[in-house]
Amino acid sequence: MKKNNFQFKEDFLIGSAIAACQVEGSWKEYGKGETIADWKTFNPNLDRKNFKTEDEMELTKEKLNYNVQNESNLIFPNRTAIEFFENFEQDVQQMKDTGIKSLRFSISWARIYPDCDQEKPNQEGIIFYKKLFELLKSKNIVPIVTLSHFDYPIDVINKYGGFDNKKVMDVFFKYAKTCINEFKSYCKYWIPFNEINCTIISPTTGAGIILGENEIELKKQKSYKALHNQFVTNCLIKQYIVEQNLDLQIGGMIASRQSYPISCHPEDVWIDTIASQKNLYFYLDVMTRGYYPNYIKNFFKENLIDINAEHKELELLQKYNIDFIGFSYYKSMTNGRNVETTGGNLTVGGKNPFLESTEWGWQIDPIGLRILMNDLWDRYQKPLYIAENGIGMDEHFDIEKKDFNDYYRIDYLKGHIKNMILAMNDGVECIGYSVWTAIDVISMSTREMTKRYGLIYIDQDDYGQGSHKRYLKESGKWFKKLVDSKGAICFE
Ligand code: BG6
C-alpha cells in the first residue's frame, strides 16, 4: 500500500455517536415525558431480508392506538434501551477505553420539557445532562450535541401535532434556547435535527406527523411543510447564537445517499441526477445557500405542494446558513430504469453488482465516502463532519472465552476512515468522524438489539434479557489504536 503521512490534527473530532432514545431508557422517570420512540415496538417475526422500512418506522393513528390498547402484550425496547441514563458513568468510562476524543449525543426534548408549554425546564433533565457534560470534560471528550434525534415528544403531538404546525417552531426554539443557555459553556457544536431528510422519508420519525390511514395522501404536503419549518428553526437558532455573540457552531445533518447510475445510458444517468437533486442536494442547497433551488420549486409545483413559506422566513434562510455539513454514511446505491432494490434504513436504492451487502442489504462502499466528500466539498465549501458511519451485524460471541472478535467491523471502519483521509488529502475540509456507535444500542429502524453496531458489546437480547454486562470488542481496541496513531493505522 502506498505510504501516507497523513495525521489527524489535534482538534480533529474523532469519536463516536449515540442518540438519547436508543440508549437512555428511564422513559418515564426523573420527570421525562413520553416520546414517539417509546411507543414503537419490536416485531419478533420481522423478516430482516424482506421488510418495508417505512412500515417499521412510520406510525399511523390506528397503529399507535393499537400499541396503546395492547401495551401489555407488546415489546417497546426504547423504553429501557441500554439504561445509559442509570449507567452513563461506567459507559462513558468504557467508551474512553476505545480512545474516543469526541462524543456526539442527543438531548431528549421530552426530558427537558415534558410539558412543552411549561415555563421552566425539568431540573432533573438539566442536572442529568450537566453531569454528562462534566464527565466528558473531565475525560477530555469533546461533546457534539443533537437536539432532536427521532424522539419527538407525545405531549407536542397531543397539543400541536407535527412540525408542520408553526406553533411547534416556538416550543422547539424555546427548548433549543434552554439547552444553549444551560450548556453553552460545555459545547461548541450543535446539530438541531438529526438526518433532517428523515422528515420526508419517515415524517413520524423525523417530525412527529401521525396520520390516519385515510389521510395518507396528506403525507407529502405535511412533510414538506414540516421540513420548511425545521429549516427555518435552524436559522432561528443560528440567529440567536449570532445575536448573543456566542462562539458556537450550527450543523445541518442529513442521511447521505451516495448513488451511481446503474449504467452509462443517458436515461439512467438522468434518473440518478434527479434522485441526487431531490434526495441529497436539495436539503444542503437550502441550508448552505439559503434558498430553494428551481428543481425543487418545480417539484413542488408539479405535486401541488405548498410549503407555506412566509416572506420573513425566506429572508431568515438567506441570512443564517449552517456552519458545517454533518452527514451519516453507511452505504451506497444505484439508480436507473431497471434496478433491483436493496435495503437501508432511511435511503433505499438499487443494487450494485460490484458491492457486498450486510445481512440487512446495506451495500458496503468505502470509496463511495471519498467520492461523496469530494462532491459535497466542491459543491458547498463548508466543513464536513461525518456524524455517523458503521456496520450493523448479528453477532454471536463466546462470552466465557471473552472472544469478541468483530474483524468485519475493523475492515469496514478501516476502509471508510482510510477513504475519509484520502478525501482530506484531496483537499476536503473535514472536522470530524463519529463511528456509529461506541456501544451496542437499540436499532432505530427495527428496534432490534440483534443488529449491533457497537465497539462495546452488551450482553442483552431483543427482549432486554441478559446480564447487561459490557465487553470491549476487538474493534474497540482497534479504534483506540486508530486514535493513538492519528489515523496512520489505516495505511498499514
Ligand atoms: C441513522 C440514525 O440513520 O442510522 C441512527 O441516525 C440509526 O439513529 C442508524 O441507529 C442505523 O440505523 P438502524 O436502523 O440500523 O439502527
Side-chain angles (χ1 to χ4, degrees), residues 19 22 104 149-150 194-195 253 255 328 330 345-346 362 388 436 441-446 451 453:
Q22 292 172 272
R104 171 179 169 241
H149 193 133
F150 303 160
N194 180 59
E195 299 183 331
M253 153 70 175
S328 58
Y330 290 93
N345 61 351
L346 291 176
W362 299 31
E388 290 175 28
W436 187 267
V441 302
I442 304 295
S443 154
M444 188 273 293
S445 53
T446 53
K451 189 182 189 186
Y453 286 86

Side-chain angles (χ1 to χ4, degrees), residues 234-351:
N234 267 342
C235 300
L236 291 172
I237 297 172
K238 174 85 189 278
Q239 181 183 31
Y240 181 70
I241 285 170
V242 171
E243 287 175 358
Q244 299 287 310
N245 217 357
L246 300 172
D247 181 22
L248 308 182
Q249 294 213 350
I250 292 295
M253 153 70 175
I254 57 160
S256 73
R257 54 177 315 286
Q258 173 57 26
S259 68
Y260 311 101
I262 190 75
S263 81
C264 53
H265 190 293
E267 277 185 39
D268 289 336
V269 177
W270 180 238
I271 290 170
D272 185 58
T273 303
I274 298 176
S276 296
Q277 284 182 332
K278 206 178 134 225
N279 303 320
L280 172 71
Y281 298 138
F282 155 50
Y283 305 90
L284 297 174
D285 284 357
V286 176
M287 291 191 288
T288 61
R289 295 172 171 169
Y291 57 88
Y292 283 86
N294 287 342
Y295 59 82
I296 208 78
K297 286 189 190 157
N298 290 340
F299 168 78
F300 289 162
K301 225 187 253 164
E302 281 157 20
N303 290 275
L304 306 176
I305 294 170
D306 174 11
I307 56 166
N308 198 7
E310 294 171 12
H311 179 68
K312 63 170 195 301
E313 293 175 343
L314 296 175
E315 281 181 350
L316 279 172
L317 284 181
Q318 187 89 110
K319 196 157 173 205
Y320 297 105
N321 302 157
I322 53 171
D323 299 302
F324 63 93
I325 294 175
F327 64 91
S328 58
Y329 179 87
Y330 290 93
K331 60 187 187 298
S332 70
M333 62 188 73
T334 58
N335 284 304
R337 291 157 302 166
N338 250 321
V339 291
E340 194 189 332
T341 308
T342 184
N345 61 351
L346 291 176
T347 51
V348 179
K351 275 196 183 157

Side-chain angles (χ1 to χ4, degrees), residues 112-179:
I112 301 296
Y113 282 106
D115 167 350
C116 65
D117 285 328
Q118 75 190 65
E119 219 175 287
K120 296 218 166 88
N122 169 32
Q123 278 312 307
E124 287 176 291
I126 300 283
I127 290 168
F128 168 66
Y129 292 111
K130 257 195 190 148
K131 278 194 201 154
L132 178 56
F133 277 117
E134 281 291 348
L135 181 65
L136 294 176
K137 192 171 159 192
S138 72
K139 297 194 176 302
N140 289 322
I141 299 174
V142 178
I144 298 151
V145 163
T146 311
L147 288 173
S148 177
H149 193 133
F150 303 160
D151 56 354
Y152 197 93
I154 295 287
D155 177 65
V156 181
I157 295 178
N158 289 340
K159 291 197 174 104
Y160 304 113
F163 232 106
D164 51 313
N165 181 351
K166 289 202 189 289
K167 178 69 192 155
V168 176
M169 296 165 72
D170 298 340
V171 283
F172 188 85
F173 184 44
K174 177 179 80 172
Y175 155 64
K177 277 193 294 191
T178 300
C179 291

